[in-house]
Amino acid sequence: MKYLSFILFCSSWSGAVFSAPPNGEQVYQQYCAGCHGPQLQGGLGANLIDDVWLHEDSEQAIIETIRNGVIDKGMPAFKTGLTQEQIKQVAQFIKVSKSANTTPEVFLDKNQIFTTKHYQFNLKLINVFDSLIWAITFINANEYLATERDTGNLYYGNIDGSYRIITGTPKVWNNDQGGLLDVALDINFANNQIIYLAYAKENINSTWQQAQGMTAIFKARIEGNKLVDQQDIFSVDDTFALPSGRHFGSRLVADNNYLYFSIGERGIRPDAQDLTKPNGKIHRIHLDGSIPSDNPFVNQASAYKSIWTYGNRNPQGLARHPNTGELWSTEHGPKGGDEINLISKGLNYGWPVITYGMNYDGTSMTNKTHMPGMEQPIRYYVPSIATSGIDFYNGDKWSKWQNNMFVTGMSAQELRRVKIVNKQVVEEELLVKNFGRVRDVAVSPSGDIYIMITRDHKGHMYKLEKLNKSGNNQQEIP
Ligand code: HEC
């Protein structure tokens, strides 16, 4: 089924290519694919073949978008770089590709079977949320919390498909990639019902011409359908707020004493190396927001005291290894520069001085991939998969995957299984492909695996359901 669907996908897509003006595709591959993906699937730029148009979809409107760009969102203007004829051809190429794209129905057949080295499974749809879900975290075998980025809604859901909204959440700054981000449980949640949220927070300063903000961390207790005892345990002063809508991070990992969280460099690359700035870092604070006295830069004058590591571009995955206790991250890199990193106190992960990535237009950013005093990723992805949430497997149900890391890919529409032994990737396998943008993965306390996929701007939650070879039941492939 998987392969059949894949072929259908390819043929429908190449059909689009044949019936579109050939020059349109050449222009597209040369000038646009770096951001919008070689198959128009999106990346830094919008997906151009899904059902969603951010701007008007008439051919004339598309031509205008290409001519004038959407400068503040990162879409360049092409009116001087391309001729009127080329712009028209590439606009037609996009229109034809979009209309010929038969997704989602064809390869979202709910009986689709994925065959992997150890197991066969299919994806059971648990729920569809109205817009993009950024994170899911399980409370017990059946119940979970989910964050909806743009609305700022926090959902308390059950795998039977029901869910309710928890009120009392922070007001989020819904600016581009900003909004409600990660959710984590206190390790004593069963007794104290305390949760932590990461979100984009707007700083309010009447002298500013435009909105500015930064990632903030919020702590509260769930009581019935609302949050109580709310407080920001991390937020920045106006001096550090930035107008950019990009690279907020932010994943959370809580243990019995510390809370770790990531903040992306917010699109200001050099800030990642600047220890006086909070962006481009992974931070460590106590659970009440205070600064641990053994943080690596506490004694360095003018350093931002919560910094745990620096030189991080946009870490959107953070998880603790169930056995070793090591902290691992995935970093959403530039084109060709996504990384898996082992996060250790005080280290410099190199961005933007060293990277395997390049600018989205294909030009090189730096030719340095190594430097003394800067960490190498354990794994990097060329081309990029647009890494997001990660989790480690810990449970009985998928025992051959014990302690393996699950890595999500948004533009590549992937879920990967990565086996790491002694800080080395020793095995890696693609588990899910072409089902939509995989933004988060969560292993529940019962050892079940769930993924959150964005498709058509909606949050689709799936459970991996194990099959035996004849199509049912739960058996391992010997
Ligand atoms: C540097 C990255 C970049 C490049 C190169 C780029 N784009 Fe874009 N493009 C974007 C971004 C980012 C957006 C989303 C803008 C927004 O959010 O409003 C976008 C939006 C668009 C849209 C509107 C999509 C919608 O849903 O309404 C079209 C059409 C488009 N681009 C076409 C092109 C074409 C054609 C080219 C090549 C000639 C191109 N782009 C090159 C980044 C890029």
Side-chain angles (χ1 to χ4, degrees), residues 134-179:
W134 209 84
I136 32 170
T137 294
F138 270 79
I139 293 169
N140 53 44
N142 299 323
E143 294 180 307
Y144 63 90
L145 295 173
T147 58
E148 195 168 55
R149 186 186 70 186
D150 298 350
T151 59
N153 285 342
L154 175 67
Y155 297 112
Y156 195 116
N158 190 296
I159 57 167
D160 67 10
S162 63
Y163 60 88
R164 58 184 206 267
I165 291 184
I166 302 294
T167 60
T169 46
K171 180 176 171 354
V172 301
W173 187 36
N174 176 20
N175 173 18
D176 196 4
Q177 298 171 6

Coordinates of all heavy atoms in Angstrom, one line a residue, residues 134-179:
W134 N 1.0 22.3 18.0 CA 2.5 22.4 18.1 C 3.1 21.3 19.0 O 4.2 20.8 18.7 CB 2.9 23.7 18.7 CG 4.2 24.2 18.2 CD1 4.4 24.9 17.1 CD2 5.5 24.1 18.9 NE1 5.8 25.2 17.0 CE2 6.4 24.7 18.1 CE3 5.9 23.5 20.1 CZ2 7.8 24.7 18.4 CZ3 7.2 23.5 20.4 CH2 8.2 24.1 19.5
A135 N 2.4 20.8 20.0 CA 2.9 19.8 20.9 C 1.9 18.9 21.5 O 0.7 19.4 21.7 CB 3.7 20.5 22.0
I136 N 2.2 17.7 21.8 CA 1.4 16.8 22.6 C 2.2 16.2 23.7 O 3.4 15.8 23.4 CB 0.7 15.7 21.8 CG1 1.6 15.2 20.6 CG2 -0.7 16.0 21.4 CD1 1.1 13.9 20.0
T137 N 1.6 16.0 24.8 CA 2.3 15.4 26.0 C 1.3 14.5 26.7 O 0.1 15.0 26.9 CB 2.8 16.4 27.0 OG1 3.8 17.2 26.3 CG2 3.4 15.8 28.2
F138 N 1.6 13.3 27.0 CA 0.7 12.4 27.6 C 0.7 12.4 29.1 O 1.8 12.5 29.7 CB 0.9 10.9 27.1 CG 0.0 10.6 25.9 CD1 0.5 11.1 24.7 CD2 -1.2 10.0 26.0 CE1 -0.3 10.9 23.5 CE2 -2.0 9.8 24.9 CZ -1.5 10.3 23.6
I139 N -0.5 12.4 29.7 CA -0.7 12.4 31.1 C -0.7 11.0 31.7 O -0.1 10.7 32.7 CB -2.0 13.2 31.5 CG1 -1.8 14.6 31.1 CG2 -2.3 13.0 33.0 CD1 -3.1 15.4 31.2
N140 N -1.4 10.1 31.0 CA -1.5 8.7 31.3 C -1.8 8.0 30.0 O -1.7 8.5 28.9 CB -2.6 8.5 32.4 CG -4.0 9.1 32.0 OD1 -4.4 9.0 30.8 ND2 -4.6 9.8 32.9
A141 N -2.3 6.7 30.1 CA -2.4 5.9 28.9 C -3.4 6.5 27.9 O -3.3 6.4 26.7 CB -2.9 4.5 29.3
N142 N -4.4 7.2 28.4 CA -5.5 7.7 27.6 C -5.6 9.2 27.4 O -6.2 9.7 26.5 CB -6.9 7.2 28.1 CG -6.9 5.7 28.2 OD1 -6.4 5.1 27.3 ND2 -7.5 5.2 29.2
E143 N -5.0 10.0 28.4 CA -5.2 11.4 28.4 C -4.0 12.2 28.0 O -2.9 11.7 28.4 CB -5.8 11.9 29.7 CG -7.1 11.3 30.0 CD -7.6 11.8 31.4 OE1 -6.9 11.6 32.4 OE2 -8.7 12.4 31.5
Y144 N -4.2 13.3 27.3 CA -3.0 14.1 26.9 C -3.3 15.6 26.9 O -4.5 16.0 27.0 CB -2.6 13.6 25.5 CG -3.6 13.9 24.5 CD1 -3.7 15.1 23.8 CD2 -4.6 12.9 24.2 CE1 -4.7 15.4 22.8 CE2 -5.6 13.2 23.2 CZ -5.6 14.4 22.6 OH -6.6 14.7 21.7
L145 N -2.3 16.4 26.8 CA -2.4 17.8 26.6 C -1.9 18.1 25.3 O -0.9 17.6 24.8 CB -1.6 18.6 27.7 CG -2.1 18.4 29.1 CD1 -1.1 19.1 30.1 CD2 -3.5 19.0 29.3
A146 N -2.5 19.1 24.6 CA -2.0 19.5 23.3 C -2.1 21.0 23.2 O -3.1 21.6 23.7 CB -2.9 18.9 22.2
T147 N -1.2 21.6 22.5 CA -1.1 23.1 22.3 C -1.5 23.4 20.9 O -0.9 22.9 20.0 CB 0.2 23.7 22.7 OG1 1.2 23.1 21.8 CG2 0.6 23.4 24.1
E148 N -2.3 24.4 20.7 CA -2.6 24.9 19.4 C -1.9 26.2 19.2 O -2.2 27.2 19.9 CB -4.2 25.1 19.2 CG -4.6 25.2 17.8 CD -6.1 25.1 17.7 OE1 -6.9 25.8 18.4 OE2 -6.6 24.2 16.9
R149 N -1.0 26.3 18.3 CA -0.1 27.4 18.2 C -0.8 28.8 18.1 O -0.6 29.7 18.8 CB 0.9 27.2 17.1 CG 2.0 28.3 17.0 CD 2.9 28.2 15.8 NE 2.2 28.5 14.6 CZ 2.6 28.4 13.4 NH1 3.9 28.0 13.2 NH2 1.9 28.8 12.3
D150 N -1.6 28.9 17.0 CA -2.1 30.2 16.6 C -3.2 30.7 17.5 O -3.3 31.9 17.8 CB -2.5 30.2 15.2 CG -1.4 29.9 14.2 OD1 -0.2 29.8 14.6 OD2 -1.7 29.6 13.0
T151 N -4.0 29.8 18.0 CA -5.1 30.3 18.9 C -4.7 30.4 20.3 O -5.3 31.1 21.1 CB -6.3 29.3 18.9 OG1 -5.7 28.0 19.3 CG2 -6.9 29.1 17.5
G152 N -3.6 29.7 20.7 CA -3.1 29.7 22.1 C -4.0 28.8 22.9 O -3.8 28.7 24.1
N153 N -4.8 27.9 22.3 CA -5.6 27.0 23.0 C -4.8 25.8 23.6 O -3.9 25.3 22.9 CB -6.7 26.4 22.2 CG -7.8 27.3 21.9 OD1 -8.0 28.3 22.6 ND2 -8.6 27.0 20.9
L154 N -5.1 25.5 24.8 CA -4.6 24.3 25.4 C -5.7 23.3 25.6 O -6.7 23.6 26.1 CB -4.0 24.6 26.8 CG -3.5 23.4 27.7 CD1 -2.2 22.8 27.0 CD2 -3.1 23.9 29.1
Y155 N -5.5 22.1 25.0 CA -6.6 21.1 25.0 C -6.2 19.9 26.0 O -5.0 19.5 26.0 CB -6.7 20.5 23.6 CG -7.2 21.4 22.6 CD1 -6.4 21.8 21.5 CD2 -8.5 22.0 22.7 CE1 -6.8 22.8 20.6 CE2 -8.9 22.9 21.7 CZ -8.1 23.3 20.7 OH -8.6 24.2 19.8
Y156 N -7.2 19.5 26.7 CA -7.1 18.3 27.5 C -7.9 17.2 26.8 O -9.1 17.3 26.7 CB -7.7 18.6 28.9 CG -7.3 17.7 30.0 CD1 -6.6 18.1 31.1 CD2 -7.7 16.3 30.0 CE1 -6.2 17.2 32.1 CE2 -7.4 15.5 31.0 CZ -6.6 15.9 32.1 OH -6.3 15.1 33.1
G157 N -7.2 16.3 26.2 CA -7.8 15.3 25.3 C -7.8 13.9 25.8 O -7.0 13.6 26.7
N158 N -8.7 13.1 25.2 CA -8.7 11.7 25.5 C -8.5 11.0 24.2 O -9.1 11.5 23.2 CB -10.0 11.3 26.2 CG -10.0 9.9 26.7 OD1 -9.9 8.9 26.0 ND2 -10.0 9.8 28.1
I159 N -7.9 9.8 24.2 CA -7.7 9.1 22.9 C -9.0 8.6 22.3 O -9.1 8.1 21.2 CB -6.6 8.0 22.9 CG1 -7.0 7.0 24.0 CG2 -5.3 8.6 23.2 CD1 -6.1 5.7 23.9
D160 N -10.1 8.7 23.1 CA -11.4 8.3 22.5 C -11.9 9.4 21.6 O -13.0 9.3 21.0 CB -12.5 8.0 23.6 CG -12.8 9.3 24.4 OD1 -12.4 10.4 24.0 OD2 -13.5 9.1 25.5
G161 N -11.2 10.5 21.5 CA -11.5 11.5 20.5 C -12.1 12.8 21.2 O -12.2 13.8 20.5
S162 N -12.5 12.7 22.4 CA -13.0 13.8 23.1 C -11.9 14.8 23.6 O -10.8 14.3 23.8 CB -13.9 13.4 24.3 OG -13.1 12.7 25.2
Y163 N -12.2 16.0 23.7 CA -11.3 16.9 24.4 C -12.0 18.2 24.9 O -13.1 18.5 24.4 CB -10.1 17.3 23.4 CG -10.6 18.0 22.2 CD1 -10.7 19.4 22.1 CD2 -10.8 17.3 21.0 CE1 -11.0 20.1 21.0 CE2 -11.1 18.0 19.8 CZ -11.3 19.3 19.8 OH -11.6 20.0 18.7
R164 N -11.4 18.9 25.8 CA -11.9 20.1 26.3 C -10.8 21.2 26.3 O -9.6 20.8 26.4 CB -12.6 19.9 27.7 CG -11.6 19.4 28.7 CD -12.4 19.1 30.0 NE -11.5 19.2 31.2 CZ -10.9 18.2 31.7 NH1 -11.0 17.0 31.2 NH2 -10.1 18.4 32.8
I165 N -11.3 22.4 26.3 CA -10.3 23.5 26.4 C -10.0 23.9 27.9 O -10.9 23.9 28.7 CB -10.8 24.8 25.7 CG1 -10.9 24.5 24.2 CG2 -10.0 26.0 26.0 CD1 -11.3 25.7 23.3
I166 N -8.7 24.1 28.2 CA -8.4 24.5 29.5 C -8.2 26.0 29.5 O -7.4 26.5 28.7 CB -7.0 23.8 30.0 CG1 -7.2 22.3 30.0 CG2 -6.6 24.3 31.3 CD1 -8.1 21.7 31.0
T167 N -8.9 26.8 30.2 CA -8.8 28.2 30.2 C -7.7 28.7 31.2 O -7.1 27.9 31.9 CB -10.1 28.9 30.6 OG1 -10.4 28.5 31.9 CG2 -11.2 28.5 29.7
G168 N -7.4 30.0 31.1 CA -6.4 30.6 32.0 C -5.0 30.5 31.4 O -4.0 30.7 32.1
T169 N -4.9 30.2 30.1 CA -3.6 30.1 29.5 C -3.0 31.5 29.2 O -3.8 32.5 29.2 CB -3.7 29.3 28.1 OG1 -4.8 29.9 27.4 CG2 -3.9 27.9 28.4
P170 N -1.8 31.7 29.0 CA -1.2 33.0 28.7 C -1.7 33.6 27.4 O -2.0 32.8 26.5 CB 0.3 32.8 28.7 CG 0.5 31.4 28.4 CD -0.7 30.6 28.9
K171 N -1.7 34.9 27.3 CA -2.0 35.5 26.0 C -0.8 35.4 25.1 O 0.3 35.8 25.5 CB -2.3 37.0 26.3 CG -2.6 37.8 25.0 CD -3.0 39.2 25.4 CE -3.2 40.2 24.3 NZ -2.9 39.8 23.0
V172 N -1.0 34.7 24.0 CA 0.2 34.5 23.1 C 0.4 35.5 22.0 O -0.6 36.1 21.6 CB 0.2 33.0 22.5 CG1 0.1 32.0 23.6 CG2 -1.0 32.9 21.5
W173 N 1.6 35.7 21.6 CA 1.9 36.6 20.5 C 1.9 35.8 19.2 O 2.9 35.0 19.0 CB 3.3 37.2 20.8 CG 3.7 38.3 19.8 CD1 2.9 39.2 19.3 CD2 5.0 38.6 19.4 NE1 3.6 40.1 18.5 CE2 4.9 39.7 18.5 CE3 6.3 38.0 19.6 CZ2 6.1 40.2 17.9 CZ3 7.4 38.5 19.0 CH2 7.3 39.6 18.2
N174 N 0.8 35.8 18.5 CA 0.7 35.0 17.3 C 1.3 35.7 16.1 O 0.6 36.2 15.3 CB -0.8 34.6 17.1 CG -1.0 33.8 15.9 OD1 -0.1 33.2 15.3 ND2 -2.2 33.9 15.4
N175 N 2.6 35.7 16.1 CA 3.3 36.4 15.1 C 4.1 35.3 14.3 O 5.1 34.8 14.8 CB 4.2 37.4 15.7 CG 5.2 38.1 14.7 OD1 4.9 38.1 13.5 ND2 6.2 38.7 15.2
D176 N 3.6 35.0 13.1 CA 4.3 34.1 12.2 C 4.6 32.7 12.9 O 3.6 32.0 13.2 CB 5.6 34.7 11.7 CG 6.2 33.9 10.5 OD1 5.5 33.0 10.0 OD2 7.3 34.3 10.0
Q177 N 5.8 32.4 13.3 CA 6.1 31.1 14.0 C 5.8 31.2 15.5 O 5.9 30.2 16.2 CB 7.5 30.7 13.8 CG 7.9 30.5 12.3 CD 9.4 30.3 12.1 OE1 10.2 30.2 13.0 NE2 9.8 30.2 10.8
G178 N 5.3 32.3 16.0 CA 5.1 32.4 17.4 C 3.7 32.0 17.7 O 2.8 32.0 16.9
G179 N 3.4 31.8 19.0 CA 2.1 31.4 19.5 C 2.3 30.5 20.7 O 3.3 30.6 21.4

